[in-house]
């Protein structure tokens, strides 16, 4: 994302959202690319404005990547489960994405 030229995003060269093309509505992850770009630039407010649910999902994915790095460096999987795999955390991430999507569909966010 950091190395992508700014003109590429404005040129409409991407594939776009298949869900939006079929239904005319944004998918739960629409705005995710803008969220990533804003995070790379350090603009948390713009990342939140682009898609709050995607921001939560991206932060959770960073935890998973960190887990992979730690386990790879140790050369083994951790015996105890990492806390972000707890069912309550998974429900919060999935629920946050769903709530964010519904709020964007209704125009409240």
């Amino acid at each position: 994302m950091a190395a992508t030229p700014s003109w590429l995003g404005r040129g409409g060269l991407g594939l776009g959202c298949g869900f939006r093309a079929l239904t005319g509505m944004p998918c739960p992850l629409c705005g995710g690319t803008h969220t990533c770009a804003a995070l790379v630039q350090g603009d948390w407010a713009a990342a939140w404005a682009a898609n709050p649910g995607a921001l939560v999902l991206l932060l959770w994915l960073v935890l998973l990547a960190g887990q992979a790095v730690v386990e790879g460096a140790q050369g083994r999987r951790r015996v105890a489960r990492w806390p972000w795999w707890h069912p309550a955390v998974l429900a919060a991430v999935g629920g946050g994405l769903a709530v964010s999507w519904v709020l964007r569909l209704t125009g409240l966010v």
Side-chain angles (χ1 to χ4, degrees):
M1 291 297 297
T4 303
S6 61
W7 56 266
L8 188 60
R10 293 189 304 256
L13 299 175
L15 297 175
C17 177
F19 185 86
R20 183 176 283 219
L22 289 173
T23 65
M25 299 183 307
C27 75
L29 294 176
C30 276
T33 303
H34 293 286
T35 300
C36 289
L39 286 176
V40 166
Q41 297 171 358
D43 191 351
W44 286 82
W48 182 262
N51 187 338
L55 177 61
V56 172
L57 180 64
L58 286 171
L59 294 176
W60 183 72
L61 290 173
V62 166
L63 291 173
L64 294 183
Q67 173 184 338
V69 168
V70 168
E71 290 179 349
Q74 293 175 346
R76 62 181 174 83
R77 293 198 66 135
R78 186 171 178 217
V79 175
R81 294 194 71 160
W82 293 84
W84 40 86
W85 284 106
H86 190 277
V89 174
L90 296 175
V93 170
L97 189 59
V99 167
S100 169
W101 185 43
V102 168
L103 291 175
R104 286 187 306 128
L105 287 176
T106 58
L108 297 174
V109 172

